[in-house]
Amino acid sequence: MTRKMLKIVDGPDKPALRCALAYPDSEHVHFILEGDATDAAIARIEDMAEGFTFEINGRLTTGIHKGETFLGIYSVETRSGQIALGIGA
């Protein structure tokens, strides 16, 4: 099955990600996607080796994909990455 991939062109800093993880019911992060934007509740963050890139997973809370779960890779250094819909959370 092919998963829908969304490219992140801008997004939150590391403190915002951590806050969203700590308070998933009330704090969400905003991602600007290629051709769209969405907010997301973060369920899990896993640091990668160098400390700027994270595997994230959660649920989209706004936009055309609202309610879908996702798994993605996101860099706070470049504020970019990608998410695959229908995986995780």
Side-chain angles (χ1 to χ4, degrees):
M1 177 180 187
T2 302
R3 302 272 184 211
K4 178 148 184 148
M5 300 295 290
L6 304 175
K7 184 176 179 181
I8 301 168
V9 296
D10 194 21
D13 60 12
K14 190 173 183 176
L17 282 174
R18 295 284 183 204
C19 186
L21 178 64
Y23 304 101
D25 293 329
S26 60
E27 295 294 324
H28 300 159
V29 290
H30 186 74
F31 292 108
I32 297 174
L33 307 171
E34 203 168 63
D36 197 14
T38 190
D39 293 327
I42 303 297
R44 184 181 61 82
I45 299 172
E46 184 175 323
D47 294 350
M48 304 306 254
E50 78 331 271
F52 295 106
T53 303
F54 302 93
E55 182 177 284
I56 56 174
N57 109 353
R59 179 182 46 82
L60 300 181
T61 59
T62 63
I64 62 172
H65 299 290
K66 180 179 179 178
E68 292 199 48
T69 58
F70 69 88
L71 176 66
I73 300 294
Y74 178 70
S75 168
V76 294
E77 184 175 39
T78 63
R79 303 274 178 108
S80 64
Q82 65 180 12
I83 57 176
L85 299 180
I87 304 173

mmCIF file of all heavy atoms in Angstrom, residues 27-62:
data_model
loop_
_atom_site.group_PDB
_atom_site.id
_atom_site.type_symbol
_atom_site.label_atom_id
_atom_site.label_comp_id
_atom_site.label_asym_id
_atom_site.label_seq_id
_atom_site.Cartn_x
_atom_site.Cartn_y
_atom_site.Cartn_z
ATOM 1 N N GLU A 27 -1.841 21.547 23.518
ATOM 2 C CA GLU A 27 -0.803 22.224 22.738
ATOM 3 C C GLU A 27 -0.543 21.475 21.434
ATOM 4 O O GLU A 27 -0.265 20.278 21.459
ATOM 5 C CB GLU A 27 0.507 22.309 23.530
ATOM 6 C CG GLU A 27 0.423 23.164 24.769
ATOM 7 C CD GLU A 27 0.195 24.633 24.457
ATOM 8 O OE1 GLU A 27 0.725 25.132 23.445
ATOM 9 O OE2 GLU A 27 -0.537 25.264 25.224
ATOM 10 N N HIS A 28 -0.654 22.191 20.338
ATOM 11 C CA HIS A 28 -0.383 21.596 19.031
ATOM 12 C C HIS A 28 0.673 22.422 18.325
ATOM 13 O O HIS A 28 0.907 23.579 18.671
ATOM 14 C CB HIS A 28 -1.662 21.546 18.191
ATOM 15 C CG HIS A 28 -2.747 20.734 18.824
ATOM 16 N ND1 HIS A 28 -4.060 20.875 18.512
ATOM 17 C CD2 HIS A 28 -2.709 19.773 19.790
ATOM 18 C CE1 HIS A 28 -4.786 20.038 19.221
ATOM 19 N NE2 HIS A 28 -3.983 19.361 20.016
ATOM 20 N N VAL A 29 1.336 21.825 17.345
ATOM 21 C CA VAL A 29 2.340 22.541 16.553
ATOM 22 C C VAL A 29 1.787 22.792 15.159
ATOM 23 O O VAL A 29 0.899 22.078 14.687
ATOM 24 C CB VAL A 29 3.677 21.776 16.489
ATOM 25 C CG1 VAL A 29 4.375 21.780 17.834
ATOM 26 C CG2 VAL A 29 3.484 20.358 15.994
ATOM 27 N N HIS A 30 2.319 23.817 14.507
ATOM 28 C CA HIS A 30 1.869 24.207 13.166
ATOM 29 C C HIS A 30 2.947 23.866 12.151
ATOM 30 O O HIS A 30 4.113 24.233 12.334
ATOM 31 C CB HIS A 30 1.576 25.710 13.144
ATOM 32 C CG HIS A 30 0.972 26.181 11.870
ATOM 33 N ND1 HIS A 30 -0.337 25.914 11.537
ATOM 34 C CD2 HIS A 30 1.487 26.888 10.841
ATOM 35 C CE1 HIS A 30 -0.594 26.452 10.354
ATOM 36 N NE2 HIS A 30 0.498 27.044 9.913
ATOM 37 N N PHE A 31 2.552 23.149 11.115
ATOM 38 C CA PHE A 31 3.450 22.824 10.017
ATOM 39 C C PHE A 31 2.943 23.478 8.742
ATOM 40 O O PHE A 31 1.747 23.369 8.426
ATOM 41 C CB PHE A 31 3.518 21.309 9.770
ATOM 42 C CG PHE A 31 4.183 20.528 10.863
ATOM 43 C CD1 PHE A 31 3.445 19.717 11.710
ATOM 44 C CD2 PHE A 31 5.555 20.598 11.036
ATOM 45 C CE1 PHE A 31 4.063 18.984 12.714
ATOM 46 C CE2 PHE A 31 6.188 19.857 12.033
ATOM 47 C CZ PHE A 31 5.442 19.053 12.875
ATOM 48 N N ILE A 32 3.826 24.135 8.014
ATOM 49 C CA ILE A 32 3.499 24.609 6.681
ATOM 50 C C ILE A 32 3.979 23.532 5.722
ATOM 51 O O ILE A 32 5.152 23.144 5.739
ATOM 52 C CB ILE A 32 4.156 25.963 6.381
ATOM 53 C CG1 ILE A 32 3.619 27.008 7.355
ATOM 54 C CG2 ILE A 32 3.896 26.373 4.927
ATOM 55 C CD1 ILE A 32 4.285 28.355 7.275
ATOM 56 N N LEU A 33 3.041 23.034 4.959
ATOM 57 C CA LEU A 33 3.318 21.964 4.017
ATOM 58 C C LEU A 33 3.430 22.535 2.620
ATOM 59 O O LEU A 33 3.004 23.666 2.369
ATOM 60 C CB LEU A 33 2.188 20.930 4.051
ATOM 61 C CG LEU A 33 1.836 20.367 5.428
ATOM 62 C CD1 LEU A 33 0.568 19.535 5.343
ATOM 63 C CD2 LEU A 33 2.981 19.554 5.977
ATOM 64 N N GLU A 34 3.957 21.765 1.725
ATOM 65 C CA GLU A 34 4.006 22.168 0.329
ATOM 66 C C GLU A 34 2.558 22.242 -0.173
ATOM 67 O O GLU A 34 1.873 21.236 -0.297
ATOM 68 C CB GLU A 34 4.804 21.138 -0.463
ATOM 69 C CG GLU A 34 5.388 21.647 -1.740
ATOM 70 C CD GLU A 34 6.396 20.661 -2.293
ATOM 71 O OE1 GLU A 34 6.007 19.528 -2.636
ATOM 72 O OE2 GLU A 34 7.581 21.036 -2.345
ATOM 73 N N GLY A 35 2.043 23.463 -0.363
ATOM 74 C CA GLY A 35 0.692 23.658 -0.860
ATOM 75 C C GLY A 35 -0.411 23.638 0.180
ATOM 76 O O GLY A 35 -1.582 23.696 -0.164
ATOM 77 N N ASP A 36 -0.092 23.563 1.464
ATOM 78 C CA ASP A 36 -1.109 23.489 2.513
ATOM 79 C C ASP A 36 -0.465 23.825 3.855
ATOM 80 O O ASP A 36 0.726 24.115 3.928
ATOM 81 C CB ASP A 36 -1.713 22.083 2.544
ATOM 82 C CG ASP A 36 -3.034 21.992 3.299
ATOM 83 O OD1 ASP A 36 -3.636 23.040 3.593
ATOM 84 O OD2 ASP A 36 -3.466 20.861 3.591
ATOM 85 N N ALA A 37 -1.249 23.767 4.900
ATOM 86 C CA ALA A 37 -0.753 23.931 6.269
ATOM 87 C C ALA A 37 -1.633 23.084 7.180
ATOM 88 O O ALA A 37 -2.779 22.769 6.844
ATOM 89 C CB ALA A 37 -0.793 25.387 6.695
ATOM 90 N N THR A 38 -1.102 22.703 8.333
ATOM 91 C CA THR A 38 -1.860 21.885 9.270
ATOM 92 C C THR A 38 -1.304 22.065 10.675
ATOM 93 O O THR A 38 -0.166 22.495 10.861
ATOM 94 C CB THR A 38 -1.819 20.395 8.868
ATOM 95 O OG1 THR A 38 -2.755 19.665 9.662
ATOM 96 C CG2 THR A 38 -0.440 19.794 9.039
ATOM 97 N N ASP A 39 -2.111 21.745 11.658
ATOM 98 C CA ASP A 39 -1.665 21.663 13.042
ATOM 99 C C ASP A 39 -1.637 20.188 13.422
ATOM 100 O O ASP A 39 -2.361 19.370 12.848
ATOM 101 C CB ASP A 39 -2.618 22.414 13.968
ATOM 102 C CG ASP A 39 -2.603 23.910 13.726
ATOM 103 O OD1 ASP A 39 -1.532 24.441 13.374
ATOM 104 O OD2 ASP A 39 -3.654 24.551 13.865
ATOM 105 N N ALA A 40 -0.812 19.868 14.418
ATOM 106 C CA ALA A 40 -0.673 18.465 14.808
ATOM 107 C C ALA A 40 -0.513 18.325 16.303
ATOM 108 O O ALA A 40 0.150 19.141 16.951
ATOM 109 C CB ALA A 40 0.539 17.852 14.112
ATOM 110 N N ALA A 41 -1.144 17.285 16.844
ATOM 111 C CA ALA A 41 -0.915 16.847 18.218
ATOM 112 C C ALA A 41 0.222 15.832 18.143
ATOM 113 O O ALA A 41 0.208 14.937 17.295
ATOM 114 C CB ALA A 41 -2.174 16.207 18.787
ATOM 115 N N ILE A 42 1.210 15.976 19.001
ATOM 116 C CA ILE A 42 2.388 15.109 18.974
ATOM 117 C C ILE A 42 2.262 14.029 20.046
ATOM 118 O O ILE A 42 2.075 14.332 21.221
ATOM 119 C CB ILE A 42 3.681 15.926 19.194
ATOM 120 C CG1 ILE A 42 3.809 17.032 18.150
ATOM 121 C CG2 ILE A 42 4.901 15.018 19.191
ATOM 122 C CD1 ILE A 42 3.925 16.563 16.720
ATOM 123 N N ALA A 43 2.365 12.767 19.634
ATOM 124 C CA ALA A 43 2.265 11.638 20.556
ATOM 125 C C ALA A 43 3.629 11.094 20.962
ATOM 126 O O ALA A 43 3.784 10.543 22.050
ATOM 127 C CB ALA A 43 1.441 10.517 19.923
ATOM 128 N N ARG A 44 4.623 11.237 20.065
ATOM 129 C CA ARG A 44 5.948 10.689 20.352
ATOM 130 C C ARG A 44 6.990 11.450 19.566
ATOM 131 O O ARG A 44 6.774 11.832 18.420
ATOM 132 C CB ARG A 44 6.002 9.206 19.955
ATOM 133 C CG ARG A 44 7.297 8.511 20.300
ATOM 134 C CD ARG A 44 7.300 7.050 19.872
ATOM 135 N NE ARG A 44 7.146 6.866 18.438
ATOM 136 C CZ ARG A 44 8.139 6.969 17.549
ATOM 137 N NH1 ARG A 44 9.358 7.258 17.952
ATOM 138 N NH2 ARG A 44 7.913 6.783 16.274
ATOM 139 N N ILE A 45 8.135 11.674 20.196
ATOM 140 C CA ILE A 45 9.304 12.265 19.544
ATOM 141 C C ILE A 45 10.494 11.388 19.901
ATOM 142 O O ILE A 45 10.697 11.063 21.068
ATOM 143 C CB ILE A 45 9.591 13.700 20.052
ATOM 144 C CG1 ILE A 45 8.424 14.634 19.760
ATOM 145 C CG2 ILE A 45 10.875 14.238 19.438
ATOM 146 C CD1 ILE A 45 8.579 16.007 20.409
ATOM 147 N N GLU A 46 11.265 11.028 18.895
ATOM 148 C CA GLU A 46 12.494 10.266 19.142
ATOM 149 C C GLU A 46 13.665 11.037 18.541
ATOM 150 O O GLU A 46 13.688 11.305 17.336
ATOM 151 C CB GLU A 46 12.400 8.876 18.516
ATOM 152 C CG GLU A 46 13.600 8.019 18.835
ATOM 153 C CD GLU A 46 13.442 6.606 18.314
ATOM 154 O OE1 GLU A 46 12.334 6.065 18.350
ATOM 155 O OE2 GLU A 46 14.461 6.040 17.867
ATOM 156 N N ASP A 47 14.616 11.413 19.379
ATOM 157 C CA ASP A 47 15.805 12.134 18.908
ATOM 158 C C ASP A 47 16.657 11.236 18.027
ATOM 159 O O ASP A 47 16.866 10.070 18.343
ATOM 160 C CB ASP A 47 16.674 12.587 20.087
ATOM 161 C CG ASP A 47 15.998 13.618 20.968
ATOM 162 O OD1 ASP A 47 14.936 14.127 20.580
ATOM 163 O OD2 ASP A 47 16.545 13.912 22.039
ATOM 164 N N MET A 48 17.155 11.818 16.954
ATOM 165 C CA MET A 48 18.115 11.119 16.114
ATOM 166 C C MET A 48 19.511 11.439 16.660
ATOM 167 O O MET A 48 19.654 12.258 17.559
ATOM 168 C CB MET A 48 17.982 11.545 14.661
ATOM 169 C CG MET A 48 16.570 11.348 14.095
ATOM 170 S SD MET A 48 15.933 9.698 14.294
ATOM 171 C CE MET A 48 16.066 9.112 12.646
ATOM 172 N N ALA A 49 20.532 10.866 16.141
ATOM 173 C CA ALA A 49 21.888 10.932 16.690
ATOM 174 C C ALA A 49 22.430 12.343 16.871
ATOM 175 O O ALA A 49 23.056 12.638 17.873
ATOM 176 C CB ALA A 49 22.838 10.116 15.814
ATOM 177 N N GLU A 50 22.190 13.257 15.922
ATOM 178 C CA GLU A 50 22.848 14.566 16.001
ATOM 179 C C GLU A 50 22.065 15.612 16.788
ATOM 180 O O GLU A 50 22.547 16.715 16.997
ATOM 181 C CB GLU A 50 23.269 15.036 14.614
ATOM 182 C CG GLU A 50 22.323 15.634 13.616
ATOM 183 C CD GLU A 50 20.852 15.291 13.573
ATOM 184 O OE1 GLU A 50 20.468 14.346 12.892
ATOM 185 O OE2 GLU A 50 20.077 16.028 14.186
ATOM 186 N N GLY A 51 20.849 15.303 17.232
ATOM 187 C CA GLY A 51 20.109 16.202 18.111
ATOM 188 C C GLY A 51 19.258 17.271 17.452
ATOM 189 O O GLY A 51 18.585 18.030 18.139
ATOM 190 N N PHE A 52 19.263 17.364 16.134
ATOM 191 C CA PHE A 52 18.442 18.354 15.440
ATOM 192 C C PHE A 52 17.313 17.715 14.646
ATOM 193 O O PHE A 52 16.380 18.397 14.234
ATOM 194 C CB PHE A 52 19.288 19.198 14.475
ATOM 195 C CG PHE A 52 20.306 20.047 15.165
ATOM 196 C CD1 PHE A 52 21.651 19.714 15.118
ATOM 197 C CD2 PHE A 52 19.934 21.176 15.867
ATOM 198 C CE1 PHE A 52 22.602 20.484 15.756
ATOM 199 C CE2 PHE A 52 20.869 21.956 16.519
ATOM 200 C CZ PHE A 52 22.209 21.608 16.462
ATOM 201 N N THR A 53 17.403 16.430 14.402
ATOM 202 C CA THR A 53 16.406 15.722 13.602
ATOM 203 C C THR A 53 15.662 14.742 14.502
ATOM 204 O O THR A 53 16.258 14.078 15.344
ATOM 205 C CB THR A 53 17.074 14.979 12.435
ATOM 206 O OG1 THR A 53 17.801 15.926 11.657
ATOM 207 C CG2 THR A 53 16.047 14.291 11.549
ATOM 208 N N PHE A 54 14.359 14.675 14.294
ATOM 209 C CA PHE A 54 13.505 13.849 15.138
ATOM 210 C C PHE A 54 12.572 13.004 14.302
ATOM 211 O O PHE A 54 12.089 13.448 13.264
ATOM 212 C CB PHE A 54 12.637 14.737 16.047
ATOM 213 C CG PHE A 54 13.438 15.651 16.914
ATOM 214 C CD1 PHE A 54 13.729 16.937 16.491
ATOM 215 C CD2 PHE A 54 13.927 15.226 18.128
ATOM 216 C CE1 PHE A 54 14.484 17.791 17.281
ATOM 217 C CE2 PHE A 54 14.688 16.063 18.920
ATOM 218 C CZ PHE A 54 14.965 17.338 18.495
ATOM 219 N N GLU A 55 12.300 11.805 14.800
ATOM 220 C CA GLU A 55 11.180 11.032 14.282
ATOM 221 C C GLU A 55 9.996 11.464 15.128
ATOM 222 O O GLU A 55 10.082 11.476 16.367
ATOM 223 C CB GLU A 55 11.444 9.541 14.430
ATOM 224 C CG GLU A 55 10.324 8.702 13.849
ATOM 225 C CD GLU A 55 10.615 7.227 13.916
ATOM 226 O OE1 GLU A 55 11.423 6.736 13.093
ATOM 227 O OE2 GLU A 55 10.035 6.562 14.801
ATOM 228 N N ILE A 56 8.941 11.878 14.486
ATOM 229 C CA ILE A 56 7.754 12.352 15.216
ATOM 230 C C ILE A 56 6.556 11.530 14.777
ATOM 231 O O ILE A 56 6.496 11.033 13.665
ATOM 232 C CB ILE A 56 7.486 13.857 14.963
ATOM 233 C CG1 ILE A 56 7.343 14.151 13.461
ATOM 234 C CG2 ILE A 56 8.581 14.707 15.586
ATOM 235 C CD1 ILE A 56 6.945 15.588 13.149
ATOM 236 N N ASN A 57 5.626 11.393 15.696
ATOM 237 C CA ASN A 57 4.370 10.790 15.300
ATOM 238 C C ASN A 57 3.252 11.399 16.111
ATOM 239 O O ASN A 57 3.456 11.929 17.187
ATOM 240 C CB ASN A 57 4.518 9.279 15.292
ATOM 241 C CG ASN A 57 3.844 8.464 16.311
ATOM 242 O OD1 ASN A 57 3.257 8.925 17.257
ATOM 243 N ND2 ASN A 57 3.932 7.192 16.094
ATOM 244 N N GLY A 58 2.083 11.413 15.495
ATOM 245 C CA GLY A 58 0.941 12.037 16.128
ATOM 246 C C GLY A 58 -0.284 12.005 15.246
ATOM 247 O O GLY A 58 -0.445 11.109 14.418
ATOM 248 N N ARG A 59 -1.117 13.047 15.405
ATOM 249 C CA ARG A 59 -2.386 13.137 14.693
ATOM 250 C C ARG A 59 -2.569 14.560 14.207
ATOM 251 O O ARG A 59 -2.340 15.517 14.957
ATOM 252 C CB ARG A 59 -3.512 12.742 15.654
ATOM 253 C CG ARG A 59 -4.907 12.804 15.103
ATOM 254 C CD ARG A 59 -5.948 12.437 16.170
ATOM 255 N NE ARG A 59 -5.723 13.098 17.443
ATOM 256 C CZ ARG A 59 -6.101 14.351 17.729
ATOM 257 N NH1 ARG A 59 -6.699 15.077 16.831
ATOM 258 N NH2 ARG A 59 -5.860 14.865 18.921
ATOM 259 N N LEU A 60 -3.001 14.714 12.961
ATOM 260 C CA LEU A 60 -3.265 16.042 12.413
ATOM 261 C C LEU A 60 -4.587 16.552 12.965
ATOM 262 O O LEU A 60 -5.570 15.802 13.042
ATOM 263 C CB LEU A 60 -3.290 16.000 10.887
ATOM 264 C CG LEU A 60 -1.981 15.512 10.242
ATOM 265 C CD1 LEU A 60 -2.100 15.526 8.729
ATOM 266 C CD2 LEU A 60 -0.792 16.355 10.693
ATOM 267 N N THR A 61 -4.612 17.819 13.384
ATOM 268 C CA THR A 61 -5.796 18.359 14.052
ATOM 269 C C THR A 61 -6.532 19.421 13.241
ATOM 270 O O THR A 61 -7.600 19.859 13.648
ATOM 271 C CB THR A 61 -5.417 18.945 15.428
ATOM 272 O OG1 THR A 61 -4.454 19.975 15.252
ATOM 273 C CG2 THR A 61 -4.854 17.866 16.338
ATOM 274 N N THR A 62 -5.961 19.852 12.119
ATOM 275 C CA THR A 62 -6.623 20.808 11.235
ATOM 276 C C THR A 62 -6.282 20.471 9.789
ATOM 277 O O THR A 62 -5.417 19.645 9.518
ATOM 278 C CB THR A 62 -6.185 22.268 11.508
ATOM 279 O OG1 THR A 62 -4.781 22.386 11.247
ATOM 280 C CG2 THR A 62 -6.475 22.696 12.939
#
